[in-house]
Amino acid sequence: MRCIGCGVHIQTEDETKLGYAPPSALEKEEIICQRCFRLKHYNEIQDVSLTDDDFLKILHEIGQSEALVVKLVDIFDFNGSWLPGLHRFVGNNPILLVGNKVDLLPKSVKYPKLIQWMKQSAKELGLKPIDVCLISAAKGIGMQRVMEAIEQYRDGKNVYVVGCTNVGKSTFINRMIREVTGEGNVITTSYFPGTTLDMIEIPLDDGAAIYDTPGIINHQQMAHFVDKKDLKTITPKREIHPKVYQLNEQQTLFFGGLARLDYVKGGRRSFVCYFANDLLIHRTKREHADELYEKQLGELLQPPKKSDADTFPPLVAHSFTIKEAKTDIVFSGLGWVTCNEPGAQVIAYVPKGVNVLLRKSLI
Ligand code: GDP
């Protein structure tokens, strides 16, 4: 007996454990666990997590069988949602790489170029996908193409959909179910990472099935440092409008109070910022930046909001010299800043535990 929301095995004994449903829930035709029930009706999250060990077990299981692996990444948080080392676990099984949330990128972005970028980045990260697709599971963009690709590459075999939490895996599976069967929202989706548990099986006509695997929590996501309301501010919902800043040396940009970029050296130049439209970017002189942060965290510099400012982890500095033209400075899970010309010296600040990296420009 499984929950129609998250796929977990239903149990009625222990309220504190996964898959609990009150005995009365078993009389219903569609059984939903208490956790999904709360999420659905009260938008309330219960804290559970899949351990990294459990996740490895699942990957190992995939490696033991012949299957197509569909690896979903969030194109807005490409590196952060990557799932390193997947190729080591899935054996010789082909991997179809699918970039989700393409609706967030500016309309001017050309898909073939982006697909090329994904192939190149995948190669650098040690993965050779059999093909690359771009979709928006939420908007239904590219679904036909990805479903055809799955059909083609699975060659009669089972399909495992893998991805870290919050890449939109449930939305993707829901969308597939809807396209195939015409049914609505049957799997839990939410703002909060880590809400899809256990495997959900979607039977296919030929006896094979698509399996939705639980997402592994990506501990480097900015999402873990902000509360639910703030997460709405930093999670882009619509097409991102890049903001261009002409900076002089020794100027600083604050991204709310969550991250900071110091422009140290390299002459006057422009920085193109790709963040959720609602996230406030504040420019100041570098010499005032520390003081401003101390005084204004939770006020002018939000999120985090005032009540969370005291417990918010201190920002840690990472220094970079931009060596190549068209480089992105990526703040994992928050957004990125594109530097078009080489030669800039910058310092990027993020909460301890959040990743910052340089990459070849996505756009
Ligand atoms: P899961 O944890 O991987 O199962 O992710 P969910 O399906 O719960 O989605 C996580 C978040 O991403 C939710 O807030 C979704 O609304 C959002 N999301 C999913 N797909 C898309 C998409 O194509 N575009 C955008 N902009 N957001 C999406």
Side-chain angles (χ1 to χ4, degrees), residues 224-226 257-258 293 297 304 308-316 350-354:
H224 300 297
F225 295 92
V226 297
L258 300 173
Y293 193 73
L297 182 65
D308 295 336
D310 288 344
T311 52
F312 192 69
L315 299 183
V316 179
V350 280
K352 192 172 179 327
V354 174

Side-chain angles (χ1 to χ4, degrees), residues 144-296:
Q144 210 54 46
R145 160 89 179 69
V146 76
M147 284 166 68
E148 277 163 23
I150 290 174
E151 205 41 46
Q152 179 190 343
Y153 297 122
R154 80 180 180 90
D155 198 18
K157 300 186 195 84
N158 288 338
V159 180
Y160 289 91
V161 183
V162 300
C164 85
T165 53
N166 225 29
V167 296
K169 209 150 49 58
S170 315
T171 310
F172 173 62
I173 301 266
N174 276 329
R175 174 69 72 169
M176 275 205 292
I177 294 174
R178 202 153 64 200
E179 306 249 332
V180 176
T181 68
E183 272 174 54
N185 210 32
V186 288
I187 302 174
T188 314
T189 69
S190 77
Y191 267 120
F192 255 70
T195 51
T196 309
L197 289 161
D198 225 283
M199 290 214 216
I200 295 174
E201 183 182 324
I202 304 159
L204 296 165
D205 290 345
D206 56 6
I210 295 181
Y211 293 95
D212 177 27
T213 66
I216 183 78
I217 293 174
N218 163 16
H219 298 280
Q220 293 185 341
Q221 272 172 338
M222 191 63 89
H224 300 297
F225 295 92
V226 297
D227 81 348
K228 203 164 155 182
K229 203 161 145 273
D230 288 342
L231 192 57
K232 281 195 184 177
T233 311
I234 68 166
T235 306
K237 283 277 136 225
R238 270 163 279 113
E239 180 188 340
I240 294 168
H241 301 299
K243 297 189 183 100
V244 184
Y245 286 85
Q246 298 289 336
L247 295 190
N248 296 319
E249 292 179 357
Q250 301 298 325
Q251 283 192 314
T252 291
L253 294 178
F254 278 105
F255 307 101
L258 300 173
R260 157 180 168 186
L261 183 70
D262 284 11
Y263 178 33
V264 180
K265 208 158 179 271
R268 187 172 167 80
R269 63 172 66 221
S270 57
F271 291 85
V272 191
C273 302
Y274 295 87
F275 294 88
N277 300 331
D278 293 342
L279 181 69
L280 282 179
I281 302 181
H282 186 86
R283 182 212 307 239
T284 188
K285 284 203 173 116
R286 193 174 166 221
E287 56 184 325
H288 299 151
D290 285 345
E291 196 189 334
L292 185 82
Y293 193 73
E294 207 168 290
K295 286 204 175 124
Q296 293 291 340

